Amino acid sequence: MMVELDPVTDDARLAARLAHDLDGSFEALVVAHQDRLFTIAFRTGGDRHDAEELVQDCFVRAYRALATYGPERIRELRLRGWLTTILLNAGRNRARVKRVPTTELAFEPGAEPAVDPLTRRDERETWGRLLAGLTPAQRSAVVLRHVDGMSYAEIAEATGRPEGTVKAHVHRGLAALRTALLAAERREREEIPA
Amino acid sequence: MNDQIDPTTEAALAGLREPAPAGLTYATLVAVGLADDYAVMESPVGPLRVAWNGRGVSAVEEAPDDGAFEARFHARTGRLARRRDELPADLARKIERRLAGDRHNRIDLDLRGSTAFERAVWMKALEIPRGEVRPYGWIAREIGRPKAVRAVGTALGHNPVPLIVPCHRVVRSDGMIGQYSLGGPRNKRTILAGEGADPDELETLARAGVRYFGSDTTHIYCLPTCRDARRVTERHLVQFSSTGAASAAGYRPCKHCRPTVEIAA
């Protein structure tokens, strides 16, 4: 079930509740943000199991941090961006520990197995694969902007990158997606017997 | 904000959102210690229910069934407990080693809701080696509250993780085995016997007024289950009814079991 958020007012209300009663409201924070964090983890990492662990790790870090913050500080948190930062940092640490090169996920058009014309209509799968072909920086920028729907200002704050850089990553990422999509479509046309 | 994104791409990317797996919420709450998992563990006194969360083991209980356990757990902690098939492998191994007498493997415990006094009593009980017992008064003195003997008994009765924190190794000050929170005194006797501290023998000594063992070669006196006392051969073993009698005979207290507290006759 996807939980649609009005990011500003819902998060502000949630932050106020957390400031008042962390243990009593933490479940609401998990329920409100787990789908979007899982989406980000899964779409930038590529493995469901890893994504699940990463999201849990992110929430544990968030809980521990909140437990040390005073109510004022919690109330002022912009939860969406704050949680995203924790998720991305946790993901980076994890990648370092596991030493899994992210380029392993890279989409190589030549190496793609022939796509059955009947299953090629699985659009989500196709787009997921296309996304996996972007560089890590482009991929996370596109996922945060267009899958999750964060604003450029939020992404800049969450990733610690200048807004212009984030925009450039999104822009190049979208261009790369278009090119890859055209290539995939061309290949499919060629594979369909006349 | 112009991304120059066409509506098809925009819709396709937005369609890549993925709902989190069903168990993620509960698993996360367990990881931060706002909910618990539990499983059944076999023990010398029958099946026990062991609960844990990201902070540590939160309960060891004898309960007739899952419903009774969950209700009791919720009443005590205010948290939910969810039945799992088995304990995490590393936790099961640690508990097994602890019950076998290995005090050096660390088992994290979730003792939220307890008082500092209770935690001091439980941590002191953790120092009692397998196969040995100490009286309530010994704990009271060791934690610097010599007059709080009754409160020590109450705290041990509230031990949420019996067996792991070995409150069964604490006996009445008159040497009798006494009460036990995990299913009653019969279980306490079974566990002690399994650890090599024969409860019948201990009570026979207690009834005979024997409180301490001494060695006439070292002139040191001990609590009867102290490992040092048990090394003394019968020929050299001296029995005392009080610390006063032992001191008067020129014996000094053992540095391991520290038997300097007077035990009721």
Side-chain angles (χ1 to χ4, degrees):
Chain A
M1 181 186 58
M2 302 293 294
V3 179
E4 291 298 335
L5 285 175
D6 173 346
V8 180
T9 54
D10 282 5
D11 267 7
R13 211 173 296 136
L14 202 45
R17 284 178 60 190
L18 288 165
H20 175 68
D21 176 10
L22 172 60
D23 285 358
S25 328
F26 191 73
E27 182 171 0
L29 178 73
V30 175
V31 170
H33 284 273
Q34 62 180 357
D35 289 336
R36 55 170 295 266
L37 292 174
F38 182 76
T39 294
I40 295 168
F42 178 55
R43 292 301 175 189
T44 56
D47 180 274
R48 292 191 70 88
H49 181 73
D50 284 354
E52 192 173 352
E53 279 191 357
L54 188 57
V55 173
Q56 192 176 310
D57 189 15
C58 164
F59 278 124
V60 171
R61 287 162 187 247
Y63 179 85
R64 288 192 184 139
L66 290 170
T68 67
Y69 292 179
E72 276 313 305
R73 185 165 177 195
I74 296 177
R75 214 169 286 126
E76 282 161 17
L77 282 176
R78 280 180 294 232
L79 293 171
R80 220 155 90 102
W82 184 68
L83 288 170
T84 307
T85 306
I86 296 174
L87 183 82
L88 296 174
N89 288 342
R92 259 193 299 279
N93 288 341
R94 197 169 272 253
R96 244 197 310 274
V97 171
K98 290 182 84 178
R99 299 207 177 281
V100 176
T102 36
T103 49
E104 239 179 42
L105 296 167
F107 175 72
E108 291 173 48
E112 268 299 286
V115 181
D116 183 325
L118 292 176
T119 60
R120 83 189 133 95
R121 289 182 220 290
D122 189 348
E123 283 236 334
R124 292 184 83 226
E125 199 181 309
T126 305
W127 281 92
R129 266 204 319 273
L130 294 175
L131 204 51
L134 302 180
T135 68
Q138 289 172 358
R139 187 165 59 232
S140 65
V142 169
V143 167
L144 294 178
R145 177 71 191 99
H146 289 296
V147 183
D148 186 53
M150 287 171 81
S151 72
Y152 282 118
E154 280 180 304
I155 299 171
E157 197 184 324
T159 59
R161 291 185 179 126
E163 207 170 309
T165 309
V166 176
K167 279 184 181 166
H169 283 148
V170 171
H171 184 76
R172 285 190 214 118
L174 290 175
L177 283 177
R178 264 190 295 274
T179 311
L181 182 65
L182 288 174
E185 282 173 355
R186 197 177 322 115
R187 233 179 16 259
E188 278 175 16
R189 270 198 305 276
E190 283 161 7
E191 279 157 10
I192 298 172
Chain B
M1 217 159 355
N2 182 12
D3 281 350
Q4 295 173 320
I5 184 168
D6 62 278
T8 316
T9 307
E10 190 167 30
L13 287 175
L16 290 181
R17 292 182 196 159
E18 281 283 320
L24 184 61
T25 311
Y26 197 86
T28 301
L29 294 178
V30 171
V32 299
L34 294 177
D36 298 65
D37 282 333
Y38 73 96
V40 172
M41 179 188 84
E42 285 307 320
S43 85
V45 290
L48 298 175
R49 282 173 175 77
V50 178
W52 69 91
N53 60 53
R55 296 169 190 241
V57 177
S58 51
V60 174
E61 276 206 37
E62 191 184 55
D65 54 56
D66 287 349
F69 172 77
E70 288 167 21
R72 222 181 292 165
F73 184 82
H74 186 264
R76 177 169 69 82
T77 65
R79 303 193 302 269
L80 296 177
R82 178 185 60 174
R83 173 73 192 261
R84 310 304 306 263
D85 288 339
E86 51 192 14
L87 271 75
D90 61 327
L91 178 60
R93 199 165 41 240
K94 280 181 176 178
I95 293 178
E96 199 176 311
R97 280 174 55 193
R98 174 68 65 83
L99 298 188
D102 177 359
R103 284 179 297 152
H104 299 293
N105 82 94
R106 184 188 163 83
I107 300 177
D108 289 323
L109 301 174
D110 178 11
L111 303 175
R112 276 175 295 168
S114 56
T115 63
F117 177 80
E118 286 174 325
R119 287 193 298 279
V121 170
W122 300 334
M123 292 310 108
K124 184 50 70 176
L126 273 171
E127 293 178 14
I128 309 171
R130 188 175 199 268
E132 301 188 23
V133 299
R134 302 284 184 272
Y136 293 120
W138 180 88
I139 298 241
R141 190 211 50 215
E142 286 272 318
I143 64 170
R145 300 283 302 277
K147 293 197 178 122
V149 179
R150 191 179 290 269
V152 165
T154 307
L156 290 167
H158 289 158
N159 173 12
V161 287
L163 279 184
I164 296 177
V165 169
C167 56
H168 58 274
R169 294 178 194 152
V170 189
V171 299
R172 269 169 41 176
S173 294
D174 63 5
M176 303 303 276
I177 297 304
Q179 284 301 319
Y180 190 43
S181 62
L182 189 69
R186 189 193 295 267
N187 280 349
K188 190 172 186 175
R189 305 181 83 88
T190 306
I191 298 163
L192 285 175
E195 292 186 343
D198 184 342
D200 297 330
E201 195 185 306
L202 291 175
E203 290 193 336
T204 304
L205 278 173
R207 279 195 209 91
V210 178
R211 298 288 180 270
Y212 308 98
F213 284 172
S215 158
D216 67 7
T217 51
T218 62
H219 283 246
I220 292 171
Y221 72 97
C222 297
L223 287 162
T225 57
C226 175
R227 61 185 184 280
D228 290 353
R230 286 193 286 184
R231 272 205 297 268
V232 180
T233 54
E234 212 169 321
R235 201 154 65 85
H236 295 290
L237 194 71
V238 188
Q239 300 183 334
F240 296 108
S241 60
S242 70
T243 55
S247 309
Y251 284 64
R252 71 156 178 86
C254 166
K255 282 175 182 159
H256 290 129
C257 65
R258 301 185 290 274
T260 43
V261 69
E262 192 61 77
I263 297 171

